[in-house]
Amino acid sequence: MQIHPMWEAYPELQSELIQTIELIDSRIHLRNKSIEHALVDMMNTGGKLVRPAYTLLFSTFGEDHDPKRARAFAAAIEVLHMATLIHDDVIDDSPKRRGQQTIQSKYGKDIAVYAGDYLFTVSFKLITDYSNSMKQMQINTKGMEKILMGEIDQMHLRYNQKITIRNYLTQISGKTAQLFALSCYSGALESGQTERFARNCYYIGSHIGMAFQIKDDILDYTQTTDGFGKPVLEDVRQGIYSAPLIYAMREKNAPFKELLEKKDQLTNEETKKIQQLVIHSGGLDEAKRLAEKYTDKALKRIDQLPDSSEKEMIRNLTLSLLDRTI
């Protein structure tokens, strides 16, 4: 089994991630073998496995560290992530994910929704099978609620040209940052660490997730479709306005108004015009400063962790993740 080459720099973690994926594969069983194969293919095609990696790393800080249990929680996190991606693709009507045809475009939206729902059950079953307490179930249930609230906030704000940075940050704190926070928090707590320690890990994950999403939204304005693995500026057509555009509109709204009123009827040329307007107005620079703010917050909290090789890996992984250009 092959995973993203970024993990070659961390051979021990690479081995743990491979075992985590094997555990997920062993848990996906459907009567419909086509859907089962589609889910397994999705698991094995290009995902970086960043969230389960954080779970595995943070699970090493407590005296009760159990590699088998840590892999189960890492698997639960990644399955939960997969479920949200499938549902995202349904909502956005996305034809591709990581360069592959999405489940909804291949099998239809109904099957995709059920496939996503099925993965939620796989995730929660992994937690109940391996957890020593009900707290992990409570944590993951609450986390799932916050993730869904972020999705609902995003839907509510679609095509809203009056969206503020505060609206945007609230939205991504649920949609993206919550899963990173959950990854770090659940790993630390299950290792036997204190609630106070785990709460610091929660905020580390949350800050990383915020910076990660802002960076992703910046890349949407600087990458090609082939390089990015998904259609660039498709979010604008879908009415999802992110930090670079929000900052640009705050400086001068008039040039955007007529274009954005076309909603999902925007042509490729018109989206390119929006892209250039955002760049020339300084929207990208403002968004980069915002991402750097959350990166600095994450690194300051990481510095408070006990010294270990895992701490260095967490720091290096975070820096590489938030400095990425693709």
Side-chain angles (χ1 to χ4, degrees):
M1 177 178 293
Q2 290 185 336
I3 60 174
H4 198 280
M6 67 182 283
W7 301 115
E8 290 172 4
Y10 312 98
E12 288 185 16
L13 184 56
Q14 181 185 46
S15 175
E16 289 293 315
L17 286 169
I18 289 171
Q19 291 179 74
T20 299
I21 298 309
E22 289 171 346
L23 175 59
I24 294 172
D25 287 350
S26 73
R27 290 300 186 107
I28 297 176
H29 300 294
L30 289 167
R31 292 191 186 93
N32 187 320
K33 294 304 172 185
S34 294
I35 307 301
E36 180 180 308
H37 292 322
L39 290 173
V40 171
D41 284 346
M42 182 182 179
M43 185 69 261
N44 290 286
T45 51
K48 290 187 175 71
L49 306 178
V50 172
R51 295 157 191 81
Y54 277 117
T55 303
L56 292 168
L57 289 168
F58 278 91
S59 74
T60 63
F61 288 107
E63 294 180 358
D64 295 337
H65 171 59
D66 179 337
K68 187 175 180 181
R69 198 167 65 230
R71 288 194 294 270
F73 282 99
I77 289 290
E78 184 61 17
V79 171
L80 184 57
H81 179 223
M82 286 173 61
T84 62
L85 292 181
I86 291 172
H87 285 172
D88 273 355
D89 290 338
V90 171
I91 292 166
D92 297 340
D93 201 22
S94 299
K96 286 192 173 183
R97 164 78 61 179
R98 299 168 183 165
Q100 303 291 321
Q101 189 177 5
T102 57
I103 290 176
Q104 71 92 19
S105 68
K106 190 172 184 178
Y107 297 102
K109 293 191 174 186
D110 291 351
I111 287 177
V113 169
Y114 288 130
D117 290 348
Y118 168 73
L119 290 181
F120 286 134
T121 69
V122 173
S123 177
F124 285 120
K125 193 164 189 309
L126 280 163
I127 295 164
T128 55
D129 286 351
Y130 285 89
S131 180
N132 289 333
S133 69
M134 282 298 294
K135 189 155 184 73
Q136 279 287 3
M137 182 60 79
Q138 293 168 346
I139 291 164
N140 281 268
T141 302
K142 238 179 225 187
M144 190 66 248
E145 180 184 11
K146 289 182 179 179
I147 292 166
L148 292 173
M149 287 304 295
E151 293 286 357
I152 290 169
D153 287 341
Q154 179 174 286
M155 289 181 68
H156 174 69
L157 289 165
R158 283 194 173 204
Y159 298 112
N160 185 346
Q161 293 187 39
K162 294 181 180 179
I163 184 174
T164 65
I165 285 294
R166 178 174 287 185
N167 294 148
Y168 166 76
L169 293 176
T170 299
Q171 170 190 306
I172 68 170
S173 71
K175 182 188 172 190
T176 303
Q178 182 58 214
L179 199 50
F180 278 90
L182 196 58
S183 301
C184 302
Y185 181 79
S186 61
L189 196 65
E190 193 58 31
S191 74
Q193 268 290 355
T194 64
E195 172 67 29
R196 181 178 180 181
F197 181 90
R199 182 55 55 178
N200 182 53
C201 298
Y202 175 95
Y203 286 118
I204 290 172
S206 180
H207 296 327
I208 291 170
M210 295 294 282
F212 180 88
Q213 184 60 58
I214 297 164
K215 180 72 175 182
D216 216 42
D217 293 333
I218 290 168
L219 290 173
D220 199 29
Y221 284 86
T222 60
Q223 290 293 306
T224 63
T225 297
D226 290 341
F228 202 28
K230 63 181 181 179
V232 295
L233 293 181
E234 187 60 29
D235 279 355
V236 175
R237 282 197 182 92
Q238 297 289 340
I240 301 168
Y241 304 150
S242 60
L245 178 58
I246 296 168
Y247 278 125
M249 288 194 294
R250 193 165 70 178
E251 290 299 314
K252 189 178 282 190
N253 186 49
F256 295 99
K257 185 174 174 55
E258 185 178 348
L259 287 166
L260 294 179
E261 283 176 353
K262 297 189 176 185
K263 298 184 177 181
D264 60 354
Q265 300 303 308
L266 279 166
T267 66
N268 289 338
E269 285 303 313
E270 286 166 338
T271 57
K272 285 178 183 176
K273 187 173 181 181
I274 290 171
Q275 181 183 38
Q276 292 305 309
L277 284 168
V278 167
I279 293 169
H280 294 315
S281 70
L284 277 181
D285 294 332
E286 288 288 336
K288 286 174 184 175
R289 280 190 280 273
L290 184 63
E292 287 166 3
K293 172 185 166 185
Y294 282 102
T295 301
D296 290 343
K297 283 184 175 184
L299 293 174
K300 283 177 183 176
R301 286 186 177 268
I302 289 169
D303 287 342
Q304 297 171 20
L305 295 171
D307 290 336
S308 67
S309 59
E310 286 80 14
K311 173 182 175 177
E312 288 308 306
M313 277 194 274
I314 290 167
R315 184 178 178 82
N316 291 338
L317 174 59
T318 300
L319 284 170
S320 65
L321 192 66
L322 303 181
D323 284 344
R324 74 195 193 281
T325 56
I326 58 172

